[in-house]
Amino acid sequence: MHPAPSVIIFSSLSGAGFGLLFFLGFGFPTVTGWVAFVFYLIAYALAVGGLMSALFHLGNKKNAVKSYSQWRTSWLSREAWCAVAALLVMGLHAALQVFFGTTVAPLGWIGAILSLATVFTTSMIYAQLKTIPRWNQPATPAFFLAASLAGGALLSGNVDAALILMVVLGAITAWHWIKGDRRFAEAGSTIETATRLQGRVSLWEKPHTGENYLTHEMVYQIGRKHAAKLRVIALALMVVIPVAVLLIFGPHHMPAIVAVLSHLAGVLVQRWLFFAEAEHVVGLYYGAHGAKRAG
Amino acid sequence: MTALPSHTDKKLGLVIDLDTCVGCHACVTACKGWNTQNYGAPLSDQDPYGKPSGTFLNRIHSFQSQPETGLARTTHFPKSCLHCDDAPCVTVCPTGASYKRVEDGIVLVNEDACMGCGLCAWACPYGAREMDQAAGVMKKCTLCVDRIYNENLPEEDREPACVRTCPAGARHFGDLGDPTSAVSLLVADRGGVDLMPEQGTRPVNQYLPPRPRDTIADVMTGDEDILAPFLAPVAEDPKGFLGWLDRALEKL
Ligand code: SF4
Ligand code: SF4
Ligand code: SF4
């Protein structure tokens, strides 16, 4: 899949933002006044900034409001609902904490759960797609949730939780890659099932000499060697470096900032790979994924 | 509503004969011609005199298939929306723009509601949906819904533009939900198949596989091979100047 920067930035940043809201909602830490203001500013900048960048991805923005109508069937519509509900509930919770110094705990809990639900609905937009076997696996929601919680724990200064969550995130990400490399063959779509022709089938001529929306959007291919290197970089930035920094230097300001930046950079690389490595079955009609046939 | 209907009264669709398609792309042109000037946003082209690309609702791929023994063969392979019974493109749509009609099973996009998110194109296994780059809305085969019921057209034109134009008669249109219709009989007779059945989309459109070919002798066998001795390579291992040139080029 084409790794569109707007979508990658959206899912990484808003994930971390909603993760931070999750911890703030449950009162880890319980903040009021100016401290609360700064925390919520960061959380909303990440979450809302991410959502805005997703809006830029739309071809016809004026109809975006209609995306609230199909929550019964569409995960994208459910995401829109959850995001607005989470931001409104947490907004109220935040206003009470910032301006009145009062914490209404149950309100925070509801907001926290809605924040995590938003991340889950985002992940299901990808995980539901049978056409992209690499995404169509339980590890997809697992890693979106783990990334959001790890980022949230880091940003909210819950160092112990952050250490554990980052290690969990590393493990889930590795599993997503290992399983993901097998998913295309498991799903069983080949150029033979795509064409139902007899014998060994290969593309002889494309429909057009040039590119089209489909090849641009869905037949993006990345070299294996390239991918392997980026996987190492992603894991190092997202897990190894922040964990090492926090363990060695302890939870002080400078190391914490290094850890957060490194972690977020790692999540961006991981999200880039999530898209760039994803093989859409339509590629079979364009001569792609030949090496992915079932054993 | 993007919930799929539990039942459609008819299953209108196409039957595509891979045996007779000659790969002329006439249906591609006819489809683009009709649909660019009728329902919805026109089908735009980008950079037509540079690196051209554009929106099409129907495209012809060509495949080579190599059987266990004998010669490889080419098959021209027209592909447009298959109007699936279990259309994943419909249920993912957040705006309600994508829907499947109860009366005839046609899958359509209401462009006035589409926000151009592209998720439906991701959900379609067949590459049957393309986002128009100028209009920013999703385009797909309408089964020429503005022709097949159009009383302003002469009777013989009330079928999809691609079917009407195909010079080889490789595209057939009808109700695949009615087992006695001409298209259903054709599918039964020729062993029509679903594309990518493992995706679980239950396509309405059916593909008729190419018939077995007559036996044609492989070239360069038997008595025909009178020229073979003259075509044997002269110098297997070049020596002298040619040998030096060969080695020098090899090193580059
Ligand atoms: S072919 Fe693709 S666009 Fe058409 S109904 Fe099936 S899934 Fe939807
Ligand atoms: S591109 Fe349009 S029709 Fe397709 S899913 Fe998005 S809103 Fe629905
Ligand atoms: S039925 Fe109409 S819209 Fe569909 S491929 Fe044929 S000409 Fe194009």
Side-chain angles (χ1 to χ4, degrees):
Chain A
M1 301 298 288
H2 172 67
S6 58
V7 175
I8 293 170
I9 293 172
F10 151 66
S11 81
S12 319
L13 294 190
S14 76
F18 283 114
L20 177 52
L21 287 179
F22 175 82
F23 282 94
L24 295 175
F26 273 117
F28 299 103
T30 302
V31 282
T32 49
W34 275 109
V35 185
F37 181 77
V38 174
F39 266 122
Y40 285 111
L41 187 70
I42 296 173
Y44 273 81
L46 290 171
V48 179
L51 290 176
M52 284 319 222
S53 96
L55 196 63
F56 280 120
H57 191 61
L58 299 181
N60 196 17
K61 297 168 194 61
K62 71 174 177 358
N63 282 339
V65 66
K66 291 206 165 70
S67 68
Y68 288 92
S69 65
Q70 304 301 310
W71 51 272
R72 285 188 202 79
T73 46
S74 165
W75 282 105
L76 184 47
S77 181
R78 290 171 196 159
E79 181 202 39
W81 275 107
C82 281
V84 162
L87 291 174
L88 285 180
V89 172
M90 283 308 289
L92 185 61
H93 184 64
L96 290 174
Q97 286 188 317
V98 172
F99 301 112
F100 302 99
T102 25
T103 302
V104 184
L107 194 61
W109 302 338
I110 295 171
I113 287 163
L114 285 170
S115 300
L116 211 57
T118 307
V119 177
F120 178 70
T121 51
T122 306
S123 72
M124 284 309 291
I125 295 171
Y126 304 109
Q128 69 176 330
L129 297 171
K130 280 177 84 173
T131 47
I132 306 168
R134 185 183 288 279
W135 292 354
N136 187 225
Q137 54 160 324
T140 297
F143 104 46
F144 272 79
L145 289 171
S148 166
L149 288 174
L154 260 183
L155 288 167
S156 59
N158 288 290
V159 177
D160 292 342
L163 287 172
I164 296 168
L165 285 165
M166 280 192 285
V167 173
V168 170
L169 170 63
I172 295 176
T173 304
W175 172 247
H176 191 270
W177 287 333
I178 295 166
K179 181 78 176 161
D181 289 344
R182 293 200 296 260
R183 283 292 299 139
F184 203 91
E186 281 173 11
S189 293
T190 61
I191 193 166
E192 285 83 13
T193 69
T195 60
R196 303 298 303 274
L197 293 173
Q198 300 295 314
R200 206 159 33 78
V201 183
S202 55
L203 182 68
W204 180 62
E205 206 168 41
K206 281 196 200 178
H208 294 77
T209 50
E211 295 291 307
N212 63 38
Y213 169 74
L214 299 164
T215 59
H216 179 256
E217 182 87 351
M218 290 168 229
V219 197
Y220 186 91
Q221 277 177 301
I222 163 176
R224 259 168 205 271
K225 266 196 220 150
H226 217 82
K229 264 188 236 157
L230 284 167
R231 285 181 178 184
V232 173
I233 294 174
L235 270 190
L237 287 172
M238 186 171 74
V239 179
V240 180
I241 294 176
V243 168
V245 165
L246 288 178
L247 285 179
I248 296 169
F249 299 102
H252 305 297
H253 272 308
M254 273 320 281
I257 290 174
V258 172
V260 167
L261 291 180
S262 169
H263 173 79
L264 286 181
V267 172
L268 279 174
V269 179
Q270 180 228 35
R271 280 308 142 81
W272 188 88
L273 276 171
F274 178 73
F275 285 91
E277 287 196 286
E279 310 91 344
H280 194 293
V281 294
V282 75
L284 295 167
Y285 290 108
Y286 287 89
H289 318 324
K292 299 261 163 42
R293 59 182 67 231
Chain B
M1 233 0 244
T2 59
L4 288 166
S6 58
H7 165 86
T8 59
D9 301 341
K10 283 181 176 179
K11 292 179 198 282
L12 294 187
L14 301 177
V15 173
I16 292 176
D17 190 343
L18 297 179
D19 195 65
T20 38
C21 174
V22 293
C24 69
H25 291 240
C27 57
V28 176
T29 313
C31 170
K32 181 127 174 169
W34 176 264
N35 288 290
T36 205
Q37 49 191 313
N38 288 284
Y39 166 75
L43 302 170
S44 69
D45 291 315
Q46 278 69 42
D47 198 8
Y49 302 104
K51 271 181 74 186
S53 65
T55 311
F56 288 81
L57 312 183
N58 175 35
R59 291 180 185 265
I60 315 299
H61 302 238
S62 298
F63 294 97
Q64 167 171 301
S65 50
Q66 175 66 63
E68 291 281 314
T69 55
L71 296 171
R73 56 189 293 181
T74 51
T75 303
H76 302 291
F77 196 96
K79 189 161 56 57
S80 48
C81 171
L82 288 88
H83 298 281
C84 306
D85 262 345
D86 246 326
C89 56
V90 169
T91 49
V92 298
C93 175
T95 60
S98 280
Y99 62 104
K100 186 170 175 74
R101 306 203 326 167
V102 179
E103 59 268 42
D104 50 20
I106 300 180
V107 174
L108 289 176
V109 175
N110 170 8
E111 291 173 14
D112 294 334
C114 171
M115 68 173 186
C117 65
L119 191 58
C120 54
W122 288 11
C124 169
Y126 309 106
R129 290 175 168 244
E130 300 188 14
M131 179 115 67
D132 188 85
Q133 298 300 300
V137 292
M138 195 50 73
K139 303 295 295 188
K140 69 176 292 300
C141 159
T142 62
L143 209 62
C144 287
V145 68
D146 46 357
R147 289 175 65 93
I148 57 179
Y149 300 115
N150 191 336
E151 297 193 345
N152 298 320
L153 295 178
E155 181 95 45
E156 65 271 25
D157 281 336
R158 289 181 213 158
E159 61 177 15
C162 55
V163 174
R164 183 82 180 100
T165 213
C166 178
R171 300 177 76 106
H172 306 267
F173 164 71
D175 180 7
L176 286 140
D178 169 7
T180 62
S181 69
V183 279
S184 295
L185 295 176
L186 185 62
V187 169
D189 182 40
R190 294 276 307 282
V193 290
D194 290 352
L195 301 185
M196 286 195 199
E198 72 284 354
Q199 285 279 334
T201 53
R202 297 197 296 134
V204 168
N205 285 13
Q206 297 287 300
Y207 280 73
L208 307 180
R211 295 182 175 94
R213 279 279 184 271
D214 293 344
T215 353
I216 309 168
D218 287 0
V219 285
M220 304 292 278
T221 56
D223 295 339
E224 283 170 291
D225 197 10
I226 48 169
L227 290 177
F230 299 105
L231 294 173
V234 186
E236 299 272 88
D237 205 5
K239 294 183 184 64
F241 174 69
L242 271 184
W244 171 82
L245 189 65
D246 193 45
R247 287 193 300 277
L249 286 175
E250 201 89 315
K251 284 205 188 102
L252 283 183

